[in-house]
């Protein structure tokens, strides 16, 4: 019977087209919305992860204790070796070296003497190695105000406001005065490649972004790095996965009695992100729940409408002697088929649009004052495994319930009235 | 027109469950959109209210050198209280705050802080300054929850504060933490210590000096005072506005999808109505209705869904929204355990404009969606339609 | 009875004035040991970090208290860095950047090469006797040496440390220990002097340990490897141009 009905659904366009379209659109919206909400809620979290916290972050015990001071003297040493081990143990995680440091940036006049000077917050990250993802991660290309991204070692990015304060332009040289890993005062010359907008006052005021290898040379951090941040394989934070990696790492590598032993923190452990993670999970859940209920009602209605559309057909079939029960069952099986076909289509379409939004993002530039590092001007969707099945709940179940309710009418039909309807 | 509305109403009610399903979904859109916009508005209010209560009052005057982001300039960014302010200060409608740089040594670790001198009897800000009058063997100090967490200090703890007075002479004293407050305002808490302004002036040898002044009322009369910059409420809350703007932009996509979903139901219903009621359409035309009028009739019928939805939405929505506004939307998490700067309970706020625009947008969208399939009527052959023949 | 009180008062006053003279006298004797027209010092500074200790050696030329020129000799990273102090101005030259940076404002409050000394601590070039009132408050044994304890109280306002306590060897007139206090009386920094040697007929401490008392840590150790007094130092060394050479 299923094969017969399937043929019917496929061949009789009038019977299948509109219901399938409605189910598909409904399912598509559900899938898309879920992916969107997940992405939207996760954006702030990912932003924090990308900029500072990572999905997991490794540092020394002593560093973790004084983390707000960025004490580079408490950095992890023998990094190359350590990274190799990390990559071997957690091959699916993308590790990234970071150094946050403070210092003074000094702009020279024509005689090489101080023209202007200001305190700076520095962020060292891998800009120059060819397969580094850090530039994309921090939206650096889009946040450029003037100049270009660093292409050679010794080139840095500086916040636009800071560059104006120091009266320097891309191409100019500035000197960083900071303290080295062992506390000596160091000076290092950099060339400004470009200026950036961060979108947050405190960062715009005085920030520089420097290639990690340059920072290591400048601050005398030979084979040392203060933080190693890791990103989970699909690029999105998953608290459970992060926790299990943290447990594994800390049980193997950490030793609370050694202040320089490495320790791992998850995104949730840092800067109140834990509360935000829970918050966003609940929000996504609420929103999805409301939406699925609404979606179910719409598809239920669509099931009702679909059955009504075929009032005439049902009449003929009853007139020809089909039992009411048989007609009813066949309609329900049909609705299951339509529900499945619609849901498959819808899920596919929903995933397709969600994927586009995940890759390219929704541009909200019109509402923002230009792109910046901390406020990306796009909102991105995020596809999770749930998106592959969530559409089937309203898509199949509601369609079938709608048909079931509408089909009850068949039992109320009177044969005498049927013929009258057939005349029309 | 009256007849059209009456007819439309009968038709809709007659369709029974189908109509009600559409209406319920549409009413969802109403309630959810109003609620979510209300939460955003409530958040905006909460954030600004907290800023008013703990940081900015009704607006501020800043010393022209003052830059909260540049701790090194702090010790130069204060001056004697100008005479123009003395009346307001006396009446308690303006409070001077002196801000200087200091270093605390919790557990032998060095930590830079902003030391804020504030009048213990002030009533403009909700910072528990009255505790600064506590008589103890050290200087009483109040800190925010964020500082308490980062420096691992709690009520009753002692900590050494080192500072340099106006001459650059080192001085140090023990502070005792007499209270910790939670404000949801990071800029009023992070890296800051509050002590009695008179004590701080004495410590710094900066008699009668201040760095900023905070007004009680936002409608305070601004006067130009040399050496001081006016910071209006709007300017001080710009960051909140920016954040709310981003969130609202993100949410509008959700509204759009929710509406789209409701419209899917309406559209489907309209298509079926026109398909099933050809005889009726033919009859209308035969009775002398112009096609336009018939299209209008069907459009009104579709649009009426949204009116019914508004009524149904009001039936369950008003109690729900009112309950939310009174009891707040409590986040199902314990934010305090993270010492986090956000309110645990958000109280949605609904403005008339918000409700009105939401209803208008839903109705117009419904009307458009009802109209689109109805256009088909205009192309119908009335005789065929009258016979009920499928076209 | 009344006479007795008067007598006691007179006795105290005379004792007090005796001490006053004494304190100035002691400081003058110290100056004779410590102060010279000019000097050339090769020294090492050992900074105890949380992780490791490191030593920086330098050669400095100074004339009186107002001019100092220092060149760092090792380690390699520090080699060639030069520092020039003229009155109350300070410049640092760094060979790898070929830049001369003036250290001013809040930068002066930063520590020198990660030590427990700030640039400002090094910059103070007013004589102690000019800015502090001193008195002898007692005698104590420091490392088996008899020492006068002097309390110095600031008599000017623009000064970093409101009071100091100095222990001075009562025979050799060299400082053995110094404590720097905040206005409130809180101890901020402590300096101890040791390895006192006789150089060119004067007693001189060749090891000095600085310690910031509010911070955890072992402090900074300063050792004079070689010291020469009253040499012929060419004037051009104290110019910014000399930094680049």
């Amino acid at each position: 019977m299923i094969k017969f009905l399937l043929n019917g659904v496929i061949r009789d366009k009038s019977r299948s087209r509109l219901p399938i379209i409605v189910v598909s659109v409904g399912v598509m919206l559900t899938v898309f919305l879920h992916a969107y909400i997940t992405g939207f809620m996760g954006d702030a979290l990912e932003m924090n992860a990308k900029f500072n916290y990572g999905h997991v972050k490794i540092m020394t015990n002593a560093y973790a204790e004084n983390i707000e001071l960025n004490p580079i003297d408490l950095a992890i040493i023998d990094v190359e070796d350590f990274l190799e081990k990390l990559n071997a143990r957690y091959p699916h995680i993308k590790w990234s070296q970071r150094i946050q440091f403070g210092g003074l940036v000094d702009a020279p006049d024509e005689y090489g003497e101080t023209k202007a000077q200001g305190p700076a917050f520095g962020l060292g990250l891998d800009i120059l190695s060819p397969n580094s993802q850090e530039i994309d991660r921090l939206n650096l290309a889009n946040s450029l105000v003037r100049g270009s991204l660093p292409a050679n070692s010794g080139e840095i990015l500086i916040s636009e406001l800071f560059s104006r304060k120091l009266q320097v332009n891309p191409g100019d040289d500035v000197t960083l005065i900071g303290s080295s890993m062992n506390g000596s005062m160091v000076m290092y010359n950099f060339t400004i490649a470009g200026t950036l907008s961060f979108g947050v006052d405190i960062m715009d005021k005085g920030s520089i972004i420097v290639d990690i290898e340059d920072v290591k040379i400048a601050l005398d951090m030979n084979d040392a790095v203060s933080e190693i941040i890791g990103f989970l394989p699909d690029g999105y934070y998953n608290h459970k996965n992060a926790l299990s990696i943290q447990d594994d790492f800390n049980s193997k590598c950490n030793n609370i009695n050694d202040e320089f032993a490495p320790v791992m923190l998850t995104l949730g452990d840092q800067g109140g992100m834990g509360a935000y993670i829970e918050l966003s999970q609940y929000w996504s859940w609420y929103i999805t729940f409301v939406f699925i209920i609404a979606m179910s009602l719409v598809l239920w209605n669509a099931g009702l409408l679909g059955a009504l559309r075929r009032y005439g057909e049902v009449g003929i079939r009853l007139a020809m002697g089909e039992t009411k029960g048989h007609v009813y069952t066949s309609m329900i099986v049909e609705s299951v088929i339509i529900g499945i076909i619609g849901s498959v289509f819808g899920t596919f379409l929903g995933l397709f649009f969600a994927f586009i939004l995940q890759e390219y993002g929704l541009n909200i530039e019109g509402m923002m004052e230009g792109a910046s590092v901390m406020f990306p001007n796009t909102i991105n969707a995020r596809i999770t495994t749930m998106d592959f099945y969530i559409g089937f709940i309203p898509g199949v179940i509601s369609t079938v319930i709608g048909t079931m309710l509408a089909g009850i009418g068949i039992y109320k039909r009177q044969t005498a009235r049927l013929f009258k309807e057939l005349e029309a | 027109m009256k007849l059209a509305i009456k007819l439309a109403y009968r038709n809709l009610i007659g369709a029974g469950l189908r109509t009600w399903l559409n209406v319920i979904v549409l009413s969802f859109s109403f309630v959810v959109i109003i609620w979510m916009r209300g939460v955003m508005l409530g958040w905006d209010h909460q954030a600004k209210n907290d800023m008013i209560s703990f940081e900015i009052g009704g607006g501020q005057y800043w010393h022209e050198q003052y830059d909260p982001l540049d701790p090194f300039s702090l010790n130069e960014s204060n001056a004697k209280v100008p005479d123009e302010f003395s009346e307001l200060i006396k009446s308690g409608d303006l409070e001077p705050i002196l801000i200087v740089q200091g270093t605390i040594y919790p557990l032998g670790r060095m930590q830079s802080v902003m030391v804020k001198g504030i009048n213990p009897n002030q009533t403009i800000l909700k910072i528990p300054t009255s505790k600064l009058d506590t008589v103890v063997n050290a200087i009483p100090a109040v800190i925010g929850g964020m500082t308490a967490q980062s420096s691992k200090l709690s009520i009753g703890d002692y900590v050494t504060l080192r500072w340099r007075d106006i001459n650059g002479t080192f001085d140090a004293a023990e502070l005792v933490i007499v209270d910790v407050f939670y404000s949801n305002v990071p800029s009023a808490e992070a890296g800051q210590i509050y002590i009695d302004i008179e004590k701080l002036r004495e410590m710094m040898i900066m008699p009668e000096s201040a760095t900023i002044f905070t007004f009680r009322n936002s409608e305070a009369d601004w006067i130009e005072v040399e050496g001081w910059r006016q910071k209006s409420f709007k300017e001080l809350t710009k960051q909140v506005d920016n954040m709310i703007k981003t969130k609202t932009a993100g949410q509008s996509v959700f509204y759009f999808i929710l509406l789209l979903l409701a419209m899917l139901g309406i559209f489907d219903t309209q298509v079926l109505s026109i398909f099933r009621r050809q005889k009726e359409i033919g009859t209308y035309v035969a009775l002398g209705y112009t096609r336009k009028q018939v299209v209008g009739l069907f459009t009104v019928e579709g649009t009426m869904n949204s009116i019914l939805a508004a009524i149904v939405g009001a039936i369950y929505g008003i109690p729900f929204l009112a309950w939310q506004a009174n009891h707040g939307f409590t986040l199902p998490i314990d934010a305090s355990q993270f010492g986090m700067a956000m309110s645990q309970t958000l109280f949605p706020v609904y403005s008339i404009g918000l409700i009105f625009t939401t209803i208008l947008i839903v109705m117009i969208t419904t009307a458009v969606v009802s109209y689109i399939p109805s256009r088909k009527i205009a192309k119908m052959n009335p005789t065929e339609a009258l016979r009920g023949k499928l076209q | 009875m009344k006479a007795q009180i008067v007598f006691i008062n007179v006795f105290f006053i005379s004792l007090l004035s005796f001490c006053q003279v004494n304190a100035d006298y002691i400081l003058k004797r110290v100056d004779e040991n410590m102060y010279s027209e000019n000097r050339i010092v090769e020294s090492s500074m050992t900074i105890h970090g949380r992780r490791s200790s490191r030593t920086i050696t330098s050669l400095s030329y100074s004339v009186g208290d107002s001019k100092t020129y220092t060149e760092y000799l090792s380690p390699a990273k520090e080699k060639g860095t030069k520092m020039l102090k003229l009155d109350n101005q300070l410049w640092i030259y760094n060979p790898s950047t070929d830049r001369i940076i003036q250290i001013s404002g809040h930068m002066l409050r930063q520590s020198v090469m990660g030590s427990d000394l700030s640039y400002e601590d090094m910059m103070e070039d007013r004589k102690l006797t000019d800015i502090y009132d001193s008195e002898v408050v007692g005698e104590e044994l420091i490392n088996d040496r008899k020492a006068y304890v002097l309390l110095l109280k600031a008599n000017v306002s623009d000064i970093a440390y409101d009071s100091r306590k100095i222990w001075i060897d009562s025979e050799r007139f060299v400082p053995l220990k110094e404590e720097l206090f905040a206005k409130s009386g809180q101890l901020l920094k402590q300096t101890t002097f040791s390895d006192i040697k006789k150089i060119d007929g004067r007693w001189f401490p060749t090891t000095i340990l600085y310690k910031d008392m509010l911070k955890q840590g072992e402090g900074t150790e300063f050792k004079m490897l070689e010291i020469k007094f009253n040499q012929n130092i060419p004037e051009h060394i104290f110019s910014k141009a000399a930094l680049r050479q």
Side-chain angles (χ1 to χ4, degrees):
Chain A
M1 187 173 89
I2 292 173
K3 200 179 167 196
F4 171 77
L5 289 172
L6 195 62
N7 274 332
V9 169
I10 294 165
R11 288 176 193 159
D12 182 357
K13 297 279 192 310
S14 72
R15 157 157 34 162
S16 57
R17 194 173 55 196
L18 196 60
I20 288 181
I21 289 176
V22 171
V23 173
S24 301
V25 172
V27 168
M28 177 190 86
L29 289 177
T30 310
V31 172
F32 178 78
L33 182 101
H34 186 257
Y36 174 78
I37 291 292
T38 316
F40 176 57
M41 295 307 290
D43 265 358
L45 202 63
E46 295 303 332
M47 187 61 241
N48 279 295
K50 287 169 180 172
F51 192 75
N52 185 354
Y53 303 133
H55 292 155
V56 292
K57 184 190 260 188
I58 302 174
M59 60 218 125
T60 63
N61 279 325
Y63 185 93
E65 223 173 85
N66 299 293
I67 193 157
E68 63 272 19
L69 303 173
N70 304 320
I72 53 168
D73 53 319
L74 308 175
I76 304 168
I77 49 174
D78 296 329
V79 170
E80 295 304 325
D81 197 40
F82 183 63
L83 270 175
E84 218 165 89
K85 283 186 201 144
L86 269 183
N87 280 322
R89 183 155 189 100
Y90 310 102
H92 49 290
I93 295 179
K94 295 188 182 84
W95 298 104
S96 193
Q97 303 180 49
R98 294 278 178 94
I99 297 172
Q100 300 188 36
F101 58 96
L104 272 178
V105 171
D106 183 288
D109 62 12
E110 61 212 281
Y111 308 108
E113 289 185 24
T114 300
K115 172 175 74 178
Q117 201 179 63
F121 163 77
L123 180 60
L125 46 92
D126 186 358
I127 305 177
L128 294 176
S129 61
N131 46 6
S132 165
Q133 294 164 327
E134 300 274 73
I135 288 174
D136 286 341
R137 209 170 263 152
L138 290 186
N139 195 31
L140 294 183
N142 289 326
S143 309
L144 268 182
V145 181
R146 292 185 291 153
S148 57
L149 293 173
N152 306 302
S153 83
E155 293 184 344
I156 60 165
L157 294 168
I158 172 170
S159 59
E160 167 67 18
L161 206 66
F162 197 29
S163 78
R164 277 187 268 145
K165 200 172 111 190
L166 297 178
Q167 304 156 49
V168 289
N169 297 306
D172 289 354
D173 283 346
V174 290
T175 306
L176 170 76
I177 305 155
S179 66
S180 77
M181 187 176 165
N182 44 37
S184 340
M185 187 177 73
V186 290
M187 294 191 203
Y188 201 80
N189 281 353
F190 289 111
T191 305
I192 295 174
T195 66
L196 282 178
S197 162
F198 284 87
V200 176
D201 284 354
I202 195 150
M203 297 294 299
D204 280 321
K205 194 103 202 162
S207 298
I208 57 172
I209 289 186
V210 188
D211 183 63
I212 190 92
E213 294 306 323
D214 283 343
V215 179
K216 286 184 189 175
I217 297 167
L219 302 184
D220 221 0
M221 300 178 75
N222 183 25
D223 204 17
V225 75
S226 48
E227 302 174 357
I228 298 173
I229 56 176
F231 292 90
L232 298 177
D234 62 354
Y236 295 105
Y237 186 66
N238 178 319
H239 196 49
K240 260 193 207 134
N241 290 355
L243 278 179
S244 71
I245 294 165
Q246 182 191 30
D247 277 351
D248 180 68
F249 181 88
N250 286 348
S251 66
K252 297 270 177 329
C253 303
N254 189 238
N255 170 11
I256 39 170
N257 297 319
D258 174 4
E259 58 176 352
F260 297 110
V263 62
M264 184 186 277
L265 296 185
T266 66
L267 180 57
D269 296 329
Q270 304 173 60
M273 286 293 118
Y276 188 84
I277 291 165
E278 274 189 65
L279 174 73
S280 62
Q281 275 168 354
Y282 279 105
W283 263 103
S284 310
W285 194 83
Y286 279 141
I287 292 173
T288 311
F289 178 74
V290 166
F291 194 81
I292 285 184
I293 287 188
M295 186 68 232
S296 301
L297 295 180
V298 168
L299 292 184
W300 178 359
N301 201 12
L304 281 178
L305 295 172
L308 282 172
R309 208 171 263 127
R310 295 164 61 192
Y311 220 57
E313 180 203 325
V314 171
I316 294 171
R317 282 166 71 178
L318 287 179
M320 282 166 58
E322 245 184 285
T323 62
K324 284 177 176 173
H326 190 265
V327 174
Y328 190 58
T329 331
S330 74
M331 283 186 73
I332 288 170
V333 175
E334 244 180 71
S335 75
V336 172
I337 296 171
I338 285 171
I340 292 174
I341 295 175
S343 299
V344 170
F345 262 120
T347 302
F348 178 77
L349 283 173
L351 287 174
F352 173 74
F353 287 117
F355 180 76
I356 290 177
L357 200 61
Q358 175 172 301
E359 293 305 303
Y360 299 102
L362 172 74
N363 199 322
I364 53 166
E365 196 160 5
M367 300 181 167
M368 312 288 298
E369 294 161 1
S372 58
V373 177
M374 303 298 275
F375 282 102
N377 54 346
T378 54
I379 297 177
N380 291 288
R382 177 186 160 191
I383 297 172
T384 48
T385 26
M386 203 175 171
D387 296 318
F388 288 88
Y389 59 80
I390 195 165
F392 285 81
I393 299 166
V396 178
I397 297 174
S398 305
T399 311
V400 173
I401 290 175
T403 313
M404 278 170 134
L405 285 169
I408 292 169
I410 294 168
Y411 288 96
K412 293 185 192 151
R413 286 305 236 339
Q414 282 164 350
T415 322
R417 271 195 60 199
L418 280 175
F419 285 99
K420 240 184 142 186
E421 280 174 12
L422 286 175
E423 281 170 20
Chain B
M1 193 58 194
K2 205 175 160 196
L3 182 73
I5 291 171
K6 214 172 189 177
L7 259 175
Y9 176 72
R10 285 225 177 124
N11 272 327
L12 271 184
I13 299 298
L17 184 61
R18 280 177 287 137
T19 300
W20 293 118
L21 285 175
N22 275 336
V23 166
I24 289 170
V25 173
L26 252 182
S27 73
F28 263 20
S29 313
F30 274 123
V31 176
V32 171
I33 293 175
I34 291 176
W35 178 70
M36 285 183 76
R37 289 178 65 183
V39 169
M40 293 312 287
L41 203 60
W43 187 7
D44 183 68
H45 280 225
Q46 177 247 316
K48 285 180 181 165
N49 275 334
D50 284 345
M51 281 184 78
I52 292 171
S53 311
F54 286 97
E55 195 187 4
I56 60 171
Q60 294 178 325
Y61 274 105
W62 287 12
H63 184 267
E64 57 186 356
Q65 300 283 332
Y66 177 57
D67 178 354
L69 301 176
D70 182 4
F72 298 123
S73 71
L74 271 182
N75 287 11
E76 282 89 60
S77 47
N78 56 71
K80 284 246 155 60
V81 176
D83 294 337
E84 290 94 325
F85 292 157
S86 51
E87 274 300 305
L88 280 168
I89 292 174
K90 209 177 277 169
S91 65
D93 289 325
L94 188 68
E95 285 295 347
I97 293 176
L98 177 64
I99 307 172
V100 300
Q101 208 195 350
T103 311
I104 55 170
Y105 294 85
L107 306 169
R109 294 191 301 139
M110 225 171 113
Q111 205 178 353
S112 269
V113 286
M114 274 165 91
V115 186
K116 287 188 165 175
I118 187 166
N119 174 11
N121 303 317
Q122 63 86 25
T123 51
I124 296 178
L125 301 178
K126 282 194 193 149
I127 295 162
T129 49
S130 58
K131 295 269 176 59
L132 296 177
D133 263 347
T134 321
V135 180
V136 277
N137 51 359
I139 301 171
V142 166
I143 56 175
M146 291 175 76
T147 311
Q149 204 188 1
S150 69
S151 57
K152 300 180 181 74
L153 288 171
S154 44
I155 296 177
D157 283 353
Y158 287 81
V159 65
T160 307
L161 171 73
R162 195 199 67 188
W163 72 95
R164 310 188 71 162
D165 68 18
I166 196 164
N167 300 314
T169 306
F170 280 112
D171 206 347
E174 284 291 293
L175 298 183
V176 58
I177 308 300
V178 287
D179 206 358
V180 176
F181 66 93
Y182 298 88
S183 71
N184 308 322
V185 186
S187 50
E189 291 191 15
Q192 295 174 38
I193 285 189
Y194 293 85
I195 64 172
D196 183 352
I197 188 166
E198 284 310 328
K199 182 76 201 164
L200 186 61
R201 284 167 170 170
E202 188 189 308
M203 284 157 60
M204 296 298 298
I205 324 180
M206 291 177 177
E208 288 167 49
S209 292
T211 308
I212 57 172
F213 292 92
T214 306
F215 279 101
R216 180 184 303 280
N217 304 314
S218 53
E219 61 274 15
D221 294 326
W222 294 109
I223 36 170
E224 287 284 340
V225 183
E226 211 188 304
W228 298 85
R229 278 178 295 155
Q230 296 162 5
K231 287 276 170 181
S232 68
F233 176 75
K234 193 147 185 65
E235 202 179 333
L236 292 166
T237 54
K238 206 176 132 227
Q239 292 245 338
V240 176
D241 286 333
N242 281 346
M243 180 190 68
I244 299 282
K245 232 192 249 170
T246 329
K247 295 283 171 202
T248 310
Q251 274 197 352
S252 49
V253 172
F254 173 72
Y255 307 148
F256 178 73
I257 295 175
L258 196 62
L259 260 182
L260 216 60
L261 181 70
M263 292 310 132
L264 184 66
I266 305 276
F267 187 83
D268 198 9
T269 310
Q270 286 292 97
V271 170
L272 185 80
S273 293
I274 291 153
F275 170 82
R276 294 234 319 157
R277 287 155 64 189
Q278 301 205 35
K279 268 187 183 174
E280 191 185 326
I281 294 166
T283 312
Y284 286 136
V285 176
L287 283 171
Y289 275 79
T290 63
R291 284 174 192 177
K292 251 189 189 162
Q293 279 172 318
V294 181
V295 171
L297 196 68
F298 275 81
T299 309
V300 168
E301 196 180 306
T303 313
M304 196 167 276
N305 275 303
S306 63
I307 295 166
L308 287 178
I311 295 166
V312 172
I315 292 172
Y316 69 84
I318 290 175
F320 169 75
L321 295 174
W323 173 72
Q324 279 283 301
N326 286 326
H327 290 83
F329 170 62
T330 302
L331 306 169
I333 48 167
D334 180 14
S336 65
Q337 63 169 313
F338 302 98
M340 192 181 170
M342 94 178 274
S343 168
Q344 178 127 18
T345 304
L346 291 173
F347 291 89
V349 173
Y350 321 105
S351 68
I352 299 277
L354 181 153
I355 294 169
F356 187 72
T357 49
T358 308
I359 292 177
L360 202 69
I361 289 168
V362 175
M363 279 179 72
I364 290 172
T365 319
T366 315
V368 171
V369 170
S370 308
Y371 169 73
I372 293 166
S374 309
R375 283 179 314 177
K376 196 180 173 194
I377 295 167
K379 296 190 199 112
M380 278 183 181
N381 179 333
T383 40
E384 301 275 291
L386 200 53
R387 286 180 58 205
K389 253 203 158 163
L390 297 178
Q391 296 189 18
Chain C
M1 187 68 185
K2 201 172 180 180
Q4 230 170 352
I5 293 173
V6 172
F7 170 72
I8 291 171
N9 270 344
V10 169
F11 175 77
F12 265 102
I13 290 164
S14 62
L15 185 69
L16 215 64
S17 58
F18 166 73
C19 289
Q20 202 105 36
V21 173
N22 213 6
D24 280 346
Y25 170 74
I26 293 167
L27 286 174
K28 199 170 146 263
R29 288 290 305 270
V30 172
D31 259 0
E32 280 170 15
N33 266 328
M34 308 292 286
Y35 186 84
S36 56
E37 193 59 39
N38 67 44
R39 72 174 91 134
I40 302 173
V41 180
E42 193 183 330
S43 62
S44 73
M45 185 161 78
T46 305
I47 296 150
H48 298 283
R50 214 161 142 178
R51 207 170 208 158
S52 61
S53 299
R54 70 207 167 89
T55 302
I56 302 168
T57 58
S58 62
L59 185 66
S60 31
Y61 301 82
S62 46
V63 171
D65 282 323
S66 60
K67 293 181 192 170
T68 308
Y69 169 91
T70 306
E71 181 170 349
Y72 289 87
L73 305 175
S74 75
K77 183 90 189 168
E78 247 74 58
K79 191 172 156 60
T81 297
K82 293 165 193 170
M83 207 184 290
L84 176 66
K85 179 190 133 195
L86 294 179
D87 297 319
N88 50 6
Q89 284 181 298
L90 183 68
W91 293 271
I92 290 182
Y93 171 77
N94 173 273
S96 64
T97 54
D98 194 29
R99 288 285 316 273
I100 296 171
I101 307 263
Q102 179 165 12
I103 308 287
S104 57
H106 66 265
M107 269 274 291
L108 284 170
R109 299 179 177 182
Q110 305 290 315
S111 82
V112 179
M113 298 279 169
S115 68
D116 282 17
L117 269 151
S118 70
Y119 291 102
E120 211 178 29
D121 288 341
M122 292 186 354
M123 296 285 290
E124 182 60 78
D125 54 9
R126 292 175 291 187
K127 277 196 175 159
L128 284 183
T129 42
D130 290 345
I131 49 178
Y132 288 101
D133 292 331
S134 50
E135 64 175 306
V136 178
V137 292
E139 282 181 31
E140 272 175 35
L141 272 185
I142 298 258
N143 292 335
D144 292 331
R145 299 286 312 174
K146 222 167 81 178
Y148 296 118
V149 187
L150 268 68
L151 183 66
L152 277 67
K153 192 92 185 110
N155 58 20
V156 291
S157 56
D158 58 329
I159 197 167
Y161 303 101
D162 183 61
S163 61
R164 299 161 177 250
K165 215 173 191 179
I166 310 179
W167 285 256
I168 289 167
D169 190 308
S170 56
E171 277 172 54
R172 299 171 176 168
F173 293 99
V174 280
L176 299 175
K177 182 171 148 187
E178 183 178 27
E179 287 178 344
L180 306 180
F181 296 93
K183 257 198 313 198
S184 62
Q186 170 119 24
L187 176 61
L188 296 175
K189 288 187 180 171
Q190 191 184 67
T191 315
T192 45
F193 304 83
S194 53
D195 294 335
I196 292 149
K197 289 176 187 160
K198 196 152 196 175
I199 303 163
D200 287 351
R202 49 173 101 199
W203 290 102
F204 208 84
T206 56
T207 300
I208 306 172
L209 181 72
Y210 296 96
K211 168 122 182 57
D212 185 332
M213 299 306 281
L214 295 177
K215 239 176 16 184
Q216 288 172 333
E218 295 168 47
T220 302
E221 199 178 65
F222 196 80
K223 265 187 158 63
M224 324 241 172
L225 305 173
E226 203 189 342
I227 182 158
K228 287 179 210 154
F229 296 104
N230 302 326
Q231 301 290 304
N232 216 350
I233 302 173
E235 185 58 26
H236 72 83
I237 218 169
F238 300 108
S239 68
K240 275 200 272 175
L243 289 172
R244 270 223 170 80
Q245 282 162 9

